[in-house]
Amino acid sequence: MRNLVGALLCALAALCTAAGVMFHYAQALADTPEPAREIVGPLAEDRSILDMLPDRIIGAALGNDDELLDLIPDFLSESLRNGMDTAISTALQDADLKQAWYESIDLTRTDYVTRLDMVTSGEIAVAPPNFGATDTEGPTMVLQAQPFAALGLQKLDEVLSPVGLQGLLDGLRNGARVEIPLNLPDPTVVSPRTMAQWLAVSRSWLWFFVGAGVLALAGVVVARGRGRAIALLTGAAALMLLSRFVGSVAANARSGGEALGLGGELDPLASLVRDRLLAGLSVHIDQRAEWLWSAGLVTMGVGAVVLVIMILLSRARSQPVDHR
């Protein structure tokens, strides 16, 4: 019975280890810039997305801002939009484009994570859904395109200043938010409330590793004799099985990401961002799966060595002693 309990404890230790690895990655993705930059950064060189951005930036900057639109005489509206389109298109070929894209990624990530944290703290009230309804209320990702707009400001000076519309430029520089909704993750698949809860849990990743160590130690202490080696081998097998499960999550990301809330029909810009996000996530998740597999192999090797030692010691003790 003690050996069975020891094996179960080691299996639970493996589960805590896998959870710690994935939660640590989720926390790093949410709270540090490097993972998101590595995943979405290559889009700065994707011509298809760069061709879409000028019109989306102009629409986001001017389309819903009545105060700014009031500054534009009707007879200048079309020429101004054409001038802005040219200025922003030129800016998107600027040497500083990559840095602007990184800043946009950082702003998008921090804005989304901040709003999820506000859901958790209650600063953003999210009403529970009616019975039987899908829980879709709450924040989703919004691409913060201000850095791209900032790249075009100097060139916009050439368009706006000669016609007396410096006030419009000041409005863009000092107050206008340039936001492009992405609707990711799909709230009909993974509710924003659930995302906020998992983000809060992920920040406790260290305790999962602490728990894994305590459980593994308890499993070895509780078991007796060869049961200790069996407990370690059970934990190793659990780690290797869990690595395959994590690998299946990566495979889901590569095949469309429905289970991650990143599937479904999206507008072209959001679809490009989603596809790059899925490709990067699949690589990163595969890396974590390989880590778990390697940890399982190491643990299995340790367990096998312990088992061999236990068998040899048992045989040595069973040998009759010659007193001659």
Side-chain angles (χ1 to χ4, degrees):
M1 185 64 180
R2 293 175 67 96
N3 290 342
L4 177 60
V5 172
L8 288 174
L9 288 172
C10 284
L12 287 174
L15 182 61
C16 283
T17 299
V21 167
M22 296 311 297
F23 282 138
H24 176 259
Y25 174 62
Q27 183 271 328
L29 187 61
D31 294 336
T32 61
E34 287 78 12
R37 287 185 174 193
E38 183 178 340
I39 290 172
V40 195
L43 284 178
E45 301 170 359
D46 190 321
R47 286 309 317 172
S48 55
I49 196 170
L50 294 181
D51 290 341
M52 293 180 191
L53 278 174
D55 190 57
R56 295 298 295 271
I57 291 172
I58 294 170
L62 300 179
N64 298 313
D65 195 321
D66 294 334
E67 291 183 6
L68 289 176
L69 290 174
D70 288 342
L71 295 171
I72 306 173
D74 291 339
F75 69 91
L76 283 178
S77 179
E78 188 63 30
S79 60
L80 177 59
R81 287 188 70 91
N82 291 337
M84 292 179 72
D85 183 80
T86 300
I88 293 175
S89 297
T90 303
L92 291 176
Q93 301 172 23
D94 193 276
D96 293 327
L97 170 63
K98 191 168 187 178
Q99 183 58 36
W101 181 238
Y102 281 162
E103 290 175 10
S104 181
I105 294 169
D106 293 344
L107 285 170
T108 301
R109 174 184 56 79
T110 54
D111 172 74
Y112 178 55
V113 170
T114 298
R115 288 184 292 133
L116 288 179
D117 288 339
M118 291 172 73
V119 170
T120 302
S121 67
E123 294 177 68
I124 294 180
V126 180
N130 294 326
F131 181 75
T134 304
D135 185 8
T136 61
E137 294 298 319
T140 57
M141 286 188 204
V142 176
L143 179 63
Q144 303 294 332
Q146 294 97 313
F148 294 111
L151 263 183
L153 284 176
Q154 182 178 355
K155 297 172 179 63
L156 284 173
D157 262 318
E158 302 170 3
V159 176
L160 298 174
S161 297
V163 294
L165 291 177
Q166 188 67 33
L168 176 58
L169 183 61
D170 292 339
L172 284 170
R173 180 183 288 118
N174 298 325
R177 291 173 65 84
V178 185
E179 300 178 333
I180 302 173
L182 298 176
N183 200 40
L184 295 173
D186 186 345
T188 63
V189 179
V190 179
S191 78
R193 190 199 314 270
T194 300
M195 291 294 296
Q197 292 167 347
W198 280 117
L199 176 60
V201 172
S202 73
R203 293 191 171 118
S204 301
W205 60 267
L206 180 60
W207 291 107
F208 285 89
F209 287 121
V210 172
V214 170
L215 287 168
L217 181 60
V220 172
V221 170
V222 167
R224 288 289 180 267
R226 297 180 188 179
R228 290 175 174 170
I230 300 301
L232 288 173
L233 291 172
T234 300
L239 275 174
M240 297 173 81
L241 286 173
L242 287 165
S243 78
R244 297 304 92 187
F245 171 76
V246 173
S248 73
V249 174
N252 177 272
R254 281 190 293 271
S255 65
E258 282 79 5
L260 302 178
L262 297 173
E265 294 295 325
L266 299 170
D267 70 67
L269 178 62
S271 180
L272 282 171
V273 174
R274 185 266 310 275
D275 291 345
R276 180 61 223 174
L277 190 60
L278 288 173
L281 280 173
S282 67
V283 172
H284 285 197
I285 294 172
D286 262 335
Q287 289 173 350
R288 273 71 193 172
E290 290 303 317
W291 294 352
L292 291 173
W293 182 264
S294 298
L297 286 177
V298 171
T299 306
M300 184 165 286
V302 172
V305 170
V306 171
L307 182 60
V308 169
I309 291 173
M310 290 290 182
I311 291 172
L312 292 176
L313 288 176
S314 176
R315 288 182 177 178
R317 291 192 187 110
S318 64
Q319 294 275 338
V321 178
D322 190 353
H323 296 287
R324 287 182 300 172

